[in-house]
Amino acid sequence: HIADVSHYVKTGNALDLEAKKRGNSTYLVDRVIPMLPEALSNELCSLKPNVDRLTKCVEFLLSNEGKVLQSKFYSAVIRSKRRFTYKEVLASLEKSSPSNDAIDRMLHDAHKMAQSIRRARFKAGSLELDFPENKIRLDEHGRVLRIERIENDVSHQLIEEYMLLANEAVAGRLMSLRKPAVYRIHEAPDERRLRDYREDVLGHKIQCGNLSNRAEVQKLLAKLGTLPIGQALKIGFLRSLMRARYAVEPLGHYGLAKKKYTHFTSPIRRYADLIVHRVLFDNAQISANALKEIAEHISETERNSADAERDSKDVKLFAFLKAQIASGKPE
């Protein structure tokens, strides 16, 4: 269930024009520059417990192995029962068996299925490109208070796998309907850059096969996860890849090994998802040329946001380390 943002943000209204201009929300260390106002993002389009909320839904019937047997796409009104933090979900999943509570049992069932889907995804060639995230926490004066390491644990994977599944299903649905839309694409890397990267890896005395073979890439990434220098070399691999972007052509996603992929799950913070909702559910008629312009524009705003977010972290960390050195305290 994804918040029905298109119900409130109509094509061409002031909210829509500003959202299109921004392209996405930007998450700086000390503030968020949202794509849409807080009255929507934190209120009407926030799936809070015990209140009715409008949603766009993708419903799956899955086999025990995580294979999609059937999918449905529809609008709905939902009333969620409980909001969890990732830490609360992790604490529940780390128990050997669920309690008698229905929601706790549901979490364990959802986790078991998510892990089946995840195993199938990697078996199909998806690449493990996740890094632990360093979250910078600030004090009331805007100075670095502490740095938290957030791992991609099973509580995050539970959400991630279902979102990936929904994005893939929506892309497939749009393609079968032959509707002009915006897709999330990640093109295959340049062979020369892969060869250069392989030479770099071999220079560190690490065995490495032909990286144009996806299985060899998976094998190398697994090996890098066990080595002290592995994270630095993994970053090097990411830099040898093409950058994911938006396009009107469904060219597939190299990193996820998916032939059909779009963005559907975050319309409150990404304009691409809002467009996809309109095309799939509201039968919006948007010309291919208009969509092409939008895809190029939001690809650019995404790059700008990523650069700003990285610079924001660097500035805070530089000030933090400078203060550490000046005080004579260890890191």
Side-chain angles (χ1 to χ4, degrees):
H1 303 285
I2 303 300
D4 185 0
V5 179
S6 64
H7 177 82
Y8 302 100
V9 183
K10 300 298 185 185
T11 304
N13 71 10
L15 281 174
D16 180 53
L17 295 175
E18 187 62 26
K20 183 199 246 180
K21 180 180 166 186
R22 296 183 181 209
N24 49 266
S25 295
T26 302
Y27 297 86
L28 306 179
V29 173
D30 59 349
R31 79 200 78 165
V32 176
I33 301 168
M35 185 180 83
L36 290 168
E38 198 173 316
L40 285 177
S41 58
N42 289 350
E43 294 298 331
L44 283 172
C45 294
S46 177
L47 304 185
K48 294 181 174 183
N50 305 313
V51 290
D52 289 349
R53 287 292 185 255
L54 302 179
T55 60
K56 300 298 190 192
C57 312
V58 184
E59 182 183 313
F60 295 102
L61 179 65
L62 299 162
S63 71
N64 289 332
E65 295 74 37
K67 184 180 178 184
V68 177
L69 303 176
Q70 186 182 332
S71 53
K72 297 178 185 175
F73 308 84
Y74 55 89
S75 301
V77 178
I78 70 162
R79 178 178 283 242
S80 67
K81 292 184 178 179
R82 168 79 193 271
R83 170 175 277 181
F84 284 91
T85 65
Y86 284 110
K87 285 182 180 177
E88 287 169 340
V89 171
L90 185 62
S92 171
L93 297 180
E94 284 179 336
K95 292 183 295 186
S96 57
S97 59
S99 67
N100 290 326
D101 177 69
I103 295 177
D104 198 44
R105 289 199 305 274
M106 181 276 294
L107 274 180
H108 278 255
D109 289 343
H111 160 65
K112 187 177 176 184
M113 182 60 77
Q115 291 302 312
S116 293
I117 296 166
R118 188 174 175 83
R119 284 191 294 273
R121 179 162 68 83
F122 285 110
K123 190 176 179 182
S126 189
L127 303 180
E128 177 57 270
L129 297 174
D130 288 320
F131 284 89
E133 183 188 351
N134 290 320
K135 194 84 174 174
I136 300 172
R137 302 295 184 188
L138 305 178
D139 63 18
E140 63 272 20
H141 303 294
R143 293 188 294 255
V144 177
L145 185 63
R146 65 184 183 277
I147 300 170
E148 292 178 5
R149 188 177 173 89
I150 300 173
E151 301 284 347
N152 184 35
D153 59 42
V154 291
S155 67
H156 290 79
Q157 291 165 14
L158 191 156
I159 299 296
E160 179 185 30
E161 293 305 324
Y162 293 121
M163 288 201 300
L164 293 176
L165 206 64
N167 287 339
E168 183 179 24
V170 167
R173 179 68 173 161
L174 289 169
M175 289 165 69
S176 68
L177 293 172
R178 298 182 181 277
K179 288 189 170 187
V182 170
Y183 294 91
R184 181 65 168 178
I185 69 167
H186 186 214
E187 292 148 292
D190 178 72
E191 294 282 340
R192 181 183 55 79
R193 294 187 73 174
L194 280 182
R195 285 196 300 271
D196 291 345
Y197 173 71
R198 181 175 180 272
E199 291 302 317
D200 187 28
V201 171
L202 292 172
H204 287 88
K205 305 291 189 290
I206 298 169
Q207 286 188 330
C208 183
N210 180 0
L211 297 181
S212 60
N213 181 334
R214 186 175 285 270
E216 291 296 329
V217 175
Q218 287 183 305
K219 198 185 298 182
L220 174 63
L221 291 174
K223 189 183 296 180
L224 293 181
T226 67
L227 302 173
I229 198 175
Q231 186 151 324
L233 288 174
K234 199 171 172 182
I235 290 170
F237 176 70
L238 285 177
R239 286 178 175 160
S240 73
L241 299 180
M242 303 287 279
R243 200 163 186 166
R245 61 187 178 91
Y246 295 103
V248 292
E249 304 89 1
L251 302 177
H253 198 292
Y254 170 79
L256 295 171
K258 292 186 183 295
K259 292 180 179 176
K260 304 170 182 178
Y261 198 68
T262 191
H263 272 167
F264 160 79
T265 54
S266 297
I268 201 69
R269 65 183 183 89
R270 293 188 305 227
Y271 196 73
D273 305 52
L274 182 53
I275 290 288
V276 165
H277 280 220
R278 286 171 176 165
V279 171
L280 182 58
F281 294 98
D282 304 336
N283 292 314
Q285 301 293 323
I286 311 172
S287 73
N289 281 341
L291 283 172
K292 189 170 185 291
E293 283 182 19
I294 290 170
E296 289 172 356
H297 170 68
I298 59 180
S299 295
E300 184 180 2
T301 61
E302 181 187 53
R303 288 192 295 271
N304 291 342
S305 291
D307 291 345
E309 288 165 8
R310 187 182 61 250
D311 290 348
S312 170
K313 281 186 176 181
D314 288 348
V315 166
K316 291 294 182 184
L317 287 174
F318 176 75
F320 174 66
L321 293 173
K322 192 176 177 183
Q324 291 278 327
I325 293 166
S327 67
K329 294 177 183 176
E331 276 184 43

